Amino acid sequence: MLATVRPSLAGFFEGSNPKPPIHLGTRYDASGNFLLEPGNTVVCHLVEDSPSQAAIVEVRERMLAMPDANRLAFTPISSLHMTLFQGIIEYRRRLPYWPSDVPLDTGIDDMTRLYLERLQGFEGNGAFRVKTIGVTPNGLTVAGATEEDRQILKAWRDALSVPFGYRHPDHDAYVFHITFAYQLRRLADERTAAWQDLFDESLSFLEREAPVIELEPPAFCSFRDMKHFEELLVLG
């Protein structure tokens, strides 16, 4: 008898979600090669050589060691980050994912230059701390370490919506995360218990070894694909 899939993980398994992964064919191909998908964003990279980075990389290695990890396309360790605010992206040229005062056919590089101008002097909303609250095939789900941190994160997102000129539909319910990988194929149902055990063990490990994730300050970045996020302007 197969183990029951937790609701938060159900969409990653074949029986509960037979649809192909949403980014397959635009963000990456069926072989796991990342494709050109230019855009910009505001992220916090992991602090290099920090204890929390080491713990996170250990969890990533545990996922890579799974016998069916070939169903996942992993991003490089150097790209690991928490997205604070989503910028614009080539394959999402529509409202409300684009500022209403800028033509939808504006070039990505032009949009990046525009945002660099708008973000000059942006003061930010203070320092915050985050912790891991879940592990999935995509990576880590994170949140503010305290209620105060959660309010600071919200204040950052609200403030950034002004220069960016939009609020995504999930603006207030956005789930912060650190992506390790994208699905090439849904995981087999008979592998449910093994993956759930890994995620449970990994969450306990991170709660012990990295109760707070050390992050660099928020930075406005450009990217050509999901393998590298070039910091252009540190905010706040």
Side-chain angles (χ1 to χ4, degrees), residues 55-107:
I56 288 169
V57 170
E58 168 63 24
V59 170
R60 179 182 178 276
E61 292 299 316
R62 293 181 185 185
M63 288 176 59
L64 271 167
M66 294 291 275
D68 46 347
N70 60 354
R71 293 189 178 214
L72 304 172
F74 283 81
T75 57
I77 290 172
S78 60
S79 75
L80 295 178
H81 65 271
M82 184 197 80
T83 301
L84 182 60
F85 191 90
Q86 314 100 299
I88 53 90
I89 197 166
E90 179 61 48
Y91 299 115
R92 200 164 56 194
R93 291 176 172 271
R94 61 189 184 278
L95 302 178
Y97 306 98
W98 199 274
S100 59
D101 60 338
V102 181
L104 291 172
D105 60 354
T106 304

Side-chain angles (χ1 to χ4, degrees), residues 141-226:
T141 305
V142 303
T146 66
E147 178 57 31
E148 180 182 3
D149 292 312
R150 291 188 282 276
Q151 291 303 315
I152 294 172
L153 286 165
K154 180 182 184 302
W156 269 96
R157 288 180 57 78
D158 288 345
L160 284 166
S161 70
V162 177
F164 277 87
Y166 53 71
R167 287 184 177 225
H168 288 191
D170 67 349
H171 179 87
D172 292 318
Y174 183 74
V175 177
F176 295 100
H177 56 275
I178 297 174
T179 298
F180 291 176
Y182 295 92
Q183 283 200 297
L184 300 170
R185 290 183 293 155
R186 304 299 181 196
L187 299 174
D189 292 338
E190 59 267 23
R191 294 286 296 154
T192 298
W195 280 99
Q196 287 193 336
D197 286 347
L198 173 68
F199 298 144
D200 291 342
E201 291 165 4
S202 296
L203 180 58
S204 295
F205 171 76
L206 290 171
E207 288 173 342
R208 246 185 0 259
E209 301 296 326
V212 172
I213 298 171
E214 295 151 284
L215 297 173
E216 296 288 357
F220 176 62
C221 300
S222 65
F223 57 87
R224 310 308 292 175
D225 55 35
M226 294 296 113

Side-chain angles (χ1 to χ4, degrees), residues 36-52:
L36 184 67
E37 189 185 20
N40 52 56
T41 185
V42 176
V43 310
C44 300
H45 282 102
L46 301 185
V47 173
E48 193 169 355
D49 297 326
S50 63
S52 59

